[in-house]
Amino acid sequence: MWSMLFYASRANERPEASVASIRLDPGLDRYLRDWGREGDLGLIATEFEKPVGAAWLRLFGPDESHLVIYVAPEVPELAIAVDPNRTGQGIGSFLLERLLIRADRDGVPAIVLSAREDNPAVQLYRRFGFVETERIGNSVGTSSLKMVRERTR
């Protein structure tokens, strides 16, 4: 999952970045640190036992309410990534669909995510019911979208 977080954070676009470096980044490691705690839910797509994509939900508590993406303690944040060599093959759609079905069944009230405004996946998120709630600045000096999807009944 760490390699998928590497792709999700678009760290692969920075020559100095590595999977090891994101493990040391407190802004990123919070998505996987101590994986398996209450509220964690995720799926990994594999091919020949090699991960090619992952989608996961993580709850963040009130101590992280200062984060711009934070909505409420019962609303998890979505992280999703596909190996850059495998994009456009439906892996992300498949993972997101399955994860949302599971989250709805488990009673997750809503899900929040952030994506760079120019990320082609924004269309995927809209197709699955995510709605833009805010435009926010990001670490690379461009805009990201904060998007929320309410639970389907």
Side-chain angles (χ1 to χ4, degrees):
M1 284 181 66
W2 285 98
S3 62
M4 292 301 121
L5 180 58
F6 179 75
Y7 297 135
S9 68
R10 294 172 78 166
N12 59 313
E13 296 174 0
R14 298 189 317 262
E16 76 286 358
S18 66
V19 173
S21 70
I22 67 166
R23 286 178 180 257
L24 301 174
D25 182 331
L28 294 175
D29 89 322
R30 67 188 185 90
Y31 289 97
L32 290 174
R33 181 183 345 110
D34 303 323
W35 181 258
R37 66 188 194 192
E38 187 174 340
D40 286 347
L41 176 64
L43 301 170
I44 299 173
T46 60
E47 182 177 72
F48 305 113
E49 298 183 25
K50 179 182 184 262
V52 294
W56 65 98
L57 300 177
R58 174 145 264 197
L59 288 170
F60 294 103
D63 58 322
E64 294 173 294
S65 63
H66 65 282
L67 300 170
V68 71
I69 193 71
Y70 183 85
V71 174
E74 69 277 359
V75 176
E77 186 174 344
L78 169 71
I80 183 170
V82 174
D83 182 314
N85 297 316
R86 301 301 305 275
T87 59
Q89 298 176 12
I91 296 168
S93 295
F94 177 80
L95 286 166
L96 185 55
E97 177 182 39
R98 296 291 179 236
L99 187 64
L100 294 176
I101 288 169
R102 180 90 180 272
D104 285 344
R105 187 181 68 221
D106 290 355
V108 175
I111 298 169
V112 65
L113 65 84
S114 69
R116 290 189 191 166
E117 195 170 34
D118 63 351
N119 186 335
V122 167
Q123 294 308 315
L124 170 72
Y125 304 139
R126 287 184 176 130
R127 196 171 79 228
F128 280 94
F130 285 87
V131 177
E132 178 185 335
T133 60
E134 190 177 345
R135 188 168 265 110
I136 52 179
N138 59 38
S139 62
V140 295
T142 62
S143 291
S144 289
L145 302 177
K146 180 177 179 179
M147 302 178 81
V148 176
R149 176 191 178 267
E150 300 292 329
R151 177 179 172 213
T152 59
R153 307 289 170 200

